[in-house]
Amino acid sequence: MKKMPSLAAASGDPFYVFRDELENKVLAVRQKYAQWRTILEATDSPATKNLPALTHQIEGAVTTAEKSVKFLEETIVMVEANRAKFEHIDAAEIASRKAFVAATRKELRAVSTEISAEAVKSRIRQEERKLMQKSTTSLRSNLSEHNRNKRFLKEETQRQQQVMQEQDQSLEGLHTDITRLHNVTVEISSEVQQQNKMLDELTNDVDEAQERMNFVMGSLSKFLKTKDTCQLGLILFLMAVLVIMVFLVVYT
């Protein structure tokens, strides 16, 4: 139980100010130490991974508290060396302060001794190796996953490039076929137009020949005074034979 301050505290004695600060530090050590003991006694608890870090925290807290104990002890020495100046602090108060400092130092040393025992150090090294192995395994797993993702992205990129190349080749082939088909269509269209022109010319020639034939037949009809087509045809045939015979006689 915390001792009630005497007249020394009321007179502005710094001991009690620094003692309150020290007690807060010791309380923090006790809390961390209790948590540390619980983890240390557990064998398969997931919390054992926190043992190394918690041990280092306790070591730091004990070191800080011991510095405060030393400073508090120096205030007692100062009071003893200047009894005339601190005559309001009696021997019983000084003894009480020394007892508090001694008890606090003993408690801190007990905690420090326990957390620095060889068995505890071995356990901490074991937990640190486990953490390192887990960290290494996790790192390797992450690297492996990263490599798999990188390889997948590379393969996917190559596949996409190959698909795009095949599509480009298909488009080029399609463009070539379309161009060839267009050229053939143009040639066919030109040929059809030319044949249509020739047919038109032939039709015109036939019409013109028909008109001439009709004119000749009409003239012969008037000349021979007959409209019998058969007779006119026979006459024309005989005339053609006569022309051929004359040609043969003249040129043979």
Side-chain angles (χ1 to χ4, degrees), residues 103-231:
T104 303
R105 178 178 284 118
K106 181 179 179 181
E107 181 180 0
L108 293 175
R109 286 180 177 176
V111 173
S112 179
T113 300
E114 185 171 359
I115 65 175
S116 60
E118 190 60 34
V120 174
K121 290 182 179 180
S122 177
R123 175 73 180 278
I124 291 175
R125 286 194 294 267
Q126 181 181 358
E127 295 299 331
E128 287 177 342
R129 283 194 297 269
K130 289 181 180 179
L131 289 175
M132 186 175 296
Q133 289 175 355
K134 290 181 180 179
S135 177
T136 303
T137 302
S138 177
L139 179 60
R140 289 177 179 175
S141 177
N142 291 336
L143 288 175
S144 178
E145 183 68 20
H146 174 72
N147 291 333
R148 285 197 297 269
N149 293 336
K150 186 177 180 180
R151 184 169 58 253
F152 171 77
L153 290 176
K154 183 178 180 181
E155 292 175 353
E156 186 66 18
T157 301
Q158 292 177 349
R159 190 183 69 83
Q160 292 293 338
Q161 290 177 349
Q162 183 178 359
V163 171
M164 292 178 65
Q165 289 177 356
E166 292 176 354
Q167 290 178 350
D168 291 340
Q169 292 176 356
S170 299
L171 290 175
E172 289 178 358
L174 181 60
H175 180 267
T176 302
D177 293 339
I178 292 175
T179 303
R180 186 183 300 111
L181 180 61
H182 174 71
N183 294 334
V184 171
T185 303
V186 171
E187 292 178 358
I188 293 175
S189 177
S190 177
E191 184 69 21
V192 169
Q193 291 178 357
Q194 186 175 1
Q195 290 181 359
N196 288 335
K197 184 178 180 181
M198 293 175 62
L199 288 174
D200 292 339
E201 292 177 353
L202 179 60
T203 301
N204 293 332
D205 292 342
V206 170
D207 292 340
E208 185 178 355
Q210 184 67 36
E211 290 178 358
R212 290 179 180 178
M213 180 62 69
N214 291 334
F215 177 75
V216 171
M217 294 295 289
S219 299
L220 287 175
S221 297
K222 291 179 180 180
F223 179 74
L224 298 175
K225 296 182 179 180
T226 179
K227 294 183 179 180
D228 190 351
T229 305
C230 293
Q231 292 181 359

Side-chain angles (χ1 to χ4, degrees), residues 22 71 74 88 95 136 210 216:
L22 175 60
F71 181 78
E74 290 176 355
H88 58 282
T136 303
Q210 184 67 36
V216 171

Side-chain angles (χ1 to χ4, degrees), residues 237-249:
F237 175 74
L238 292 175
M239 289 179 65
V241 172
L242 178 61
V243 170
I244 293 173
M245 291 179 65
V246 171
F247 178 79
L248 292 175
V249 171

